[in-house]
Structure formats: C-alpha cells, structure tokens
Amino acid sequence: MADPPPGLVIRAATSSDVPALCALANDPGYRWGTLRLPYQSPEQTARWFSELGVDDHLLVAVLDGEVVGNGGLHRQRGRRAHVAILGMGVRDAVRRRGIGAALLTALIDFADNWLGLKRLELTVFVDNQPAIALYERHGFVREGVLVAYAFRAGQFVDALAMGRVR
Ligand SMILES: CC(C)(COP(=O)(O)OP(=O)(O)OC[C@H]1O[C@@H](n2cnc3c(N)ncnc32)[C@H](O)[C@@H]1OP(=O)(O)O)[C@@H](O)C(=O)NCCC(=O)NCCS
C-alpha cells in the first residue's frame, strides 16, 4: 500500500475547516461518490457541522496547510452502540496519493483501539471501484446490495452495504 505523502496530518475537524469542507463537498468526484448535492454553500456546511454530536467523530487530512480529505465515524446508540457508520472522501486533485488510505487507517484505529467498536459499516455506490477497493483492502466485506439507493446525475444508483466486524 502506498505511503501517505510526507507531511500529511490527520486531525480532528474544527469549525474553522467549514470553508474547506464546503470546497471538498463541491468537488465533482467527491459528489459522485457521496450523497452531497451540487452547489453546497458554506452556510449549509456550517449547519451540518454544527449538528454533529458527541458520537460523531470527524477527522480531516491536511497537506501543506490545506484540508484535502475528511472522514467520519458516526457511532450508533443503544443496542447498536458497538457500531459506527463510516464516511470519507478526498479532494479530486489529490486522489491516488495515499490520503484515503491514511484517513481510513486513522478511522479504524480510532474505532478499534479507542472506542472499542465491534462493527463498522458503510454504503458505497456499486460503480465506485476506487472506494470499494480501498475498503476491501482494509477488511470490509460486501454484505448486500441496496437497490436504487440514491439518485445521482439523473439516475438511480444501487449501493453496496459493506461491513467490517472484529
Ligand atoms: C475512495 C477515495 C476516498 C480513495 O482515496 P485516495 O486518496 O484516492 O486513495 P489512496 O491513494 O489512499 O488509495 C488507497 C487504495 O484505494 C484503492 N484505490 C484508490 N483509487 C483507486 C482507483 N482509481 N482505482 C482502483 N483502486 C483505487 C487502491 O486499493 C489503493 O491502494 P493502492 O494505491 O496501493 O492500490 C477517493 O477516491 C474519493 O474520495 N472518492 C470520492 C468520494 C468517495 O467516493 N468517497 C467514498 C464514499 S463511500
């Protein structure tokens, strides 16, 4: 697996990252792989950020002082308190440089070694081969297909449910 770029820092996201998180959400490739809508405003991103709670852990990847990716663990409650839903993405301009792998490694370490979670789960569009390959390299397996999971660029798209149980 590729080493992360020298100087890459993974840290907690803060409210001062909102403009950079908005820019990330507006990257066409990021939008294609996630559930973001086009034309996301900084105000919408700020509202989303302010609604994150104590069980939402949002990390950013920073390269040369710029936020180039984000990843979140969203821990569930009650009888699913052993589970977190995972989401992540990297800026279009810096893909395939090891940033996604570094973010996912940090999220898994957080989940396994600090939160003591048993199960991580996510959904990924069936045609998002880069993300599926990344998740499979980190121990996620395909658990099922969610038909017409989301609308994307004029079409309904299926998603894979993936999980990693330890
Ligand atoms: C999926 C994503 C996070 C990967 O980030 P990245 O920084 O480009 O990935 P990395 O460079 O760390 O690559 C790690 C591994 O992912 C896989 N991968 C990444 N890009 C790939 C590609 N274009 N084709 C095939 N495999 C790919 C490979 O297994 C790779 O390991 P390798 O380089 O040793 O072969 C990135 O493509 C992205 O942000 N996409 C848009 C948003 C998105 O789809 N998020 C996931 C939502 S479920």
Side-chain angles (χ1 to χ4, degrees), residues 28-48:
Y30 184 99
R31 177 164 61 246
W32 181 88
T34 64
L35 293 173
R36 299 285 79 74
L37 283 167
Y39 308 113
Q40 182 155 338
S41 68
E43 288 74 19
Q44 286 170 313
T45 307
R47 201 171 317 122
W48 164 77

Side-chain angles (χ1 to χ4, degrees), residues 71-84:
L73 287 177
H74 306 282
R75 189 176 188 169
Q76 305 299 289
R77 297 267 174 91
R79 291 172 56 190
R80 283 194 15 103
H82 61 291
V83 178

Side-chain angles (χ1 to χ4, degrees), residues 31-102:
R31 177 164 61 246
W32 181 88
T34 64
L35 293 173
R36 299 285 79 74
L37 283 167
Y39 308 113
Q40 182 155 338
S41 68
E43 288 74 19
Q44 286 170 313
T45 307
R47 201 171 317 122
W48 164 77
F49 188 86
S50 71
E51 286 167 2
L52 295 175
V54 288
D55 289 322
D56 300 307
H57 305 283
L58 187 66
L59 308 185
V60 287
V62 181
L63 187 61
D64 300 329
E66 205 181 312
V67 172
V68 289
N70 72 341
L73 287 177
H74 306 282
R75 189 176 188 169
Q76 305 299 289
R77 297 267 174 91
R79 291 172 56 190
R80 283 194 15 103
H82 61 291
V83 178
I85 298 172
L86 186 148
M88 60 179 291
V90 171
R91 286 218 69 163
D92 291 0
V94 291
R95 278 162 67 168
R96 211 72 212 255
R97 289 178 55 188
I99 296 167

Side-chain angles (χ1 to χ4, degrees), residues 1-5 24 27-35 68-70 86-92 94-104 122-125 128-138 160 162:
M1 206 168 293
D3 286 335
L24 192 53
D27 269 354
Y30 184 99
R31 177 164 61 246
W32 181 88
T34 64
L35 293 173
V68 289
N70 72 341
L86 186 148
M88 60 179 291
V90 171
R91 286 218 69 163
D92 291 0
V94 291
R95 278 162 67 168
R96 211 72 212 255
R97 289 178 55 188
I99 296 167
L103 264 170
L104 187 54
L122 59 87
T123 50
V124 55
F125 292 126
N128 191 349
Q129 202 46 50
I132 294 168
L134 172 67
Y135 296 137
E136 287 186 331
R137 286 193 74 155
H138 286 80
L160 282 179
M162 298 188 79

